């Protein structure tokens, strides 16, 4: 019998043609964001989260992969046919540690899409608002 997760999220999602910003770089960059996660508040040591950005505008000049290394806060909040899961912690890009905050919204099956409401890697990257993803690619646990 496995551990019941009182609050968490599983994500396997892609959002294309996103305008994002990079700290210290003027303007925005267009690209594809791939999100993967399996997070549970009661098992932070075995939780995982990655974000890969593929720069489609500058021949890959700003490509990177962020891998979370610790989860300091995982909260679930339900409402209006959705469940929002907020995650805060730290992770690495090319050996450098950054803080991050992500908000994943799992909408009811009546909606056309789920949404990554926010993904910010402090002092490095901001996805600049909500990124719609395929319905069912975000599966929240713990909201009633």
């Amino acid at each position: 019998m496995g551990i019941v997760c009182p609050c968490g999220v599983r994500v396997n999602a892609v959002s294309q043609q996103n305008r994002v910003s990079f700290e210290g770089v003027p303007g925005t960059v267009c690209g594809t964001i791939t999100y993967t996660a399996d997070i549970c508040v009661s098992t932070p040591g075995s939780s995982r989260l990655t974000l890969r950005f593929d720069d489609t505008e500058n021949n890959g000049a700003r490509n990177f992969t962020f891998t979370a290394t610790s989860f300091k806060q995982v909260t679930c909040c339900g409402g209006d046919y959705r469940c929002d899961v907020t995650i805060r912690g730290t992770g690495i890009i090319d050996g450098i540690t950054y803080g991050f905050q992500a908000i994943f919204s799992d909408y009811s099956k009546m909606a056309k899409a789920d949404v990554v409401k926010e993904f910010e890697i402090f002092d490095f990257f901001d996805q600049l608002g909500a990124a719609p993803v395929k319905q069912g690619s975000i599966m929240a646990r713990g909201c009633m």
Side-chain angles (χ1 to χ4, degrees):
M1 179 187 277
I3 295 173
V4 175
C5 185
C7 172
V9 67
R10 286 188 178 161
V11 181
N12 187 5
V14 176
S15 185
Q16 298 179 337
Q17 298 180 354
N18 288 278
R19 285 263 160 219
V20 304
S21 68
F22 287 89
E23 185 74 23
V25 176
T28 60
V29 177
C30 187
T32 298
I33 305 172
T34 303
Y35 311 88
T36 58
D38 189 356
I39 297 169
C40 182
V41 68
S42 56
T43 57
S46 62
S47 292
R48 62 178 177 75
L49 177 144
T50 61
L51 175 146
R52 187 179 80 228
F53 178 74
D54 293 307
D55 178 351
T56 59
E57 188 172 64
N58 302 297
N59 295 319
R62 298 252 177 239
N63 290 356
F64 74 90
T65 299
F66 172 81
T67 303
T69 54
S70 72
F71 301 95
K72 301 193 182 331
Q73 181 181 13
V74 178
T75 57
C76 294
C77 181
D80 294 342
Y81 308 104
R82 75 174 193 275
C83 179
D84 293 338
V85 181
T86 302
I87 302 138
R88 292 187 181 120
T90 59
I92 57 170
I93 301 168
D94 296 329
I96 299 171
T97 300
Y98 296 93
F100 78 96
Q101 176 169 295
I103 303 173
F104 296 100
S105 294
D106 179 1
Y107 280 82
S108 73
K109 303 232 182 304
M110 294 181 294
K112 293 182 181 178
D114 290 330
V115 175
V116 180
K117 281 190 172 178
E118 175 183 343
F119 206 115
E120 182 176 0
I121 302 167
F122 305 128
D123 301 320
F124 182 77
F125 168 89
D126 189 341
Q127 80 172 23
L128 298 176
V133 296
K134 182 181 174 187
Q135 170 63 38
S137 63
I138 296 174
M139 295 180 297
R141 297 173 282 183
C143 290
M144 297 298 161

